[in-house]
Amino acid sequence: MSANDYNDDGWQPVTRLGRMVQEGDIDTMEDALSSGLPLKEPEVVDQLLPGLDDEVLDINMVQRMTDSGRRVKFRCVVVVGNRDGYVGYAEGRDDQVGSAIQKAIGIAKLNMIKVPRGSGSWEDRSDRPHSLTRRTTGKAGSVEVEVIPAPEGLGLAASDTVRHVLELAGIENAWTKSHGNTRTTVNLAKATFNALENASQSRHPRRRPNREEAEVSE
């Protein structure tokens, strides 16, 4: 199933960002994320990142007691991405499985992040962005996931849940470590996404100029 099934051909943007995208003032996802404007319409992502893939990681039935009796809903954990540096994660709940999946896909688009890809392993000399630029860690509940850059050709040394998230983000080679109750799919997936989000928010240290560069600048 394609995540763009959620798209509505009759979309009328109601946010400033949506109008700027529809009018062509913003034509890339990177510009949309760096604009400082909140991403509140999944159709914005449909316009800027066509052909998104999605993966349903977990479907679970949850029950809640109310005054009118027991209510049953389905919770779906979904990750979406273009396999080229952009990925989103979300959970959705509804009375029907299909509706819960569609809700999760829509929310995941609103959580889209850009993952800083590169060749961060000291063992690697590739110029192709196939891994992360640096080591990163994410946590959710009792689960902690660490993603470590790996040289080209290694592949993804990760569990199925972690691998799905990394693949949709465009990470092809990485070592991973996980701690805690990793059998809880929702926390494992969220911790992996949080690790990628932490990587996207981290700043690269400024390189100190050498003596020759300093003399030129003077």
Side-chain angles (χ1 to χ4, degrees), residues 119-125 131-133 149-151 175:
S119 178
S121 172
W122 64 271
E123 302 174 90
D124 194 24
R125 297 187 179 182
S131 187
L132 289 173
T133 57
W175 284 291

Side-chain angles (χ1 to χ4, degrees), residues 27-60:
D27 56 5
T28 67
M29 195 67 212
E30 183 175 4
D31 289 342
L33 293 177
S34 61
S35 67
L37 299 173
L39 181 57
K40 295 184 177 181
E41 297 177 89
E43 293 86 356
V44 168
V45 181
D46 292 332
Q47 296 288 325
L48 301 178
L49 293 177
L52 283 178
D53 293 331
D54 65 75
E55 186 75 34
V56 178
L57 302 178
D58 186 57
I59 299 177
N60 193 25

Side-chain angles (χ1 to χ4, degrees), residues 120-123 131-137 145-151 154-157 166 171 173-177 195:
S121 172
W122 64 271
E123 302 174 90
S131 187
L132 289 173
T133 57
R134 62 176 61 191
R135 180 186 304 232
T136 182
T137 303
V145 173
E146 184 177 10
V147 185
I148 307 168
L154 175 76
L156 293 174
L166 296 180
I171 304 299
N173 302 280
W175 284 291
T176 63
K177 297 179 181 179

Side-chain angles (χ1 to χ4, degrees), residues 150-162:
E152 192 167 18
L154 175 76
L156 293 174
S159 64
D160 289 341
T161 298
V162 175

Side-chain angles (χ1 to χ4, degrees), residues 56-215:
V56 178
L57 302 178
D58 186 57
I59 299 177
N60 193 25
M61 186 172 63
V62 293
Q63 300 182 11
R64 183 167 63 92
M65 291 299 299
T66 65
D67 294 338
S68 58
R70 179 174 300 174
R71 295 193 60 183
V72 177
K73 286 192 174 185
F74 294 94
R75 182 190 65 191
C76 296
V77 179
V78 171
V79 59
V80 301
N82 69 342
R83 302 182 187 272
D84 192 24
Y86 289 96
V87 68
Y89 164 89
E91 304 170 33
R93 299 190 182 195
D94 202 272
D95 297 337
Q96 303 295 325
V97 174
S99 299
I101 292 175
Q102 291 301 319
K103 279 186 177 181
I105 289 175
I107 299 172
K109 291 178 182 179
L110 303 183
N111 294 332
M112 192 68 64
I113 61 172
K114 181 181 180 182
V115 179
R117 298 182 304 154
S119 178
S121 172
W122 64 271
E123 302 174 90
D124 194 24
R125 297 187 179 182
S126 174
D127 295 327
R128 195 173 64 87
H130 61 87
S131 187
L132 289 173
T133 57
R134 62 176 61 191
R135 180 186 304 232
T136 182
T137 303
K139 188 173 182 180
S142 65
V143 179
E144 185 174 1
V145 173
E146 184 177 10
V147 185
I148 307 168
E152 192 167 18
L154 175 76
L156 293 174
S159 64
D160 289 341
T161 298
V162 175
R163 182 183 296 110
H164 288 317
V165 178
L166 296 180
E167 285 177 343
L168 287 180
I171 304 299
E172 303 172 23
N173 302 280
W175 284 291
T176 63
K177 297 179 181 179
S178 57
H179 309 279
N181 187 12
T182 56
R183 289 181 295 180
T184 306
T185 302
V186 57
N187 284 343
L188 184 59
K190 190 173 183 180
T192 306
F193 177 76
N194 287 343
L196 297 179
E197 187 175 30
N198 290 337
S200 69
Q201 295 174 349
S202 64
R203 296 182 177 181
H204 293 276
R206 295 182 58 184
R207 185 175 65 89
R208 297 182 61 182
N210 56 36
R211 180 178 299 178
E212 293 179 358
E213 292 173 334
E215 291 177 351

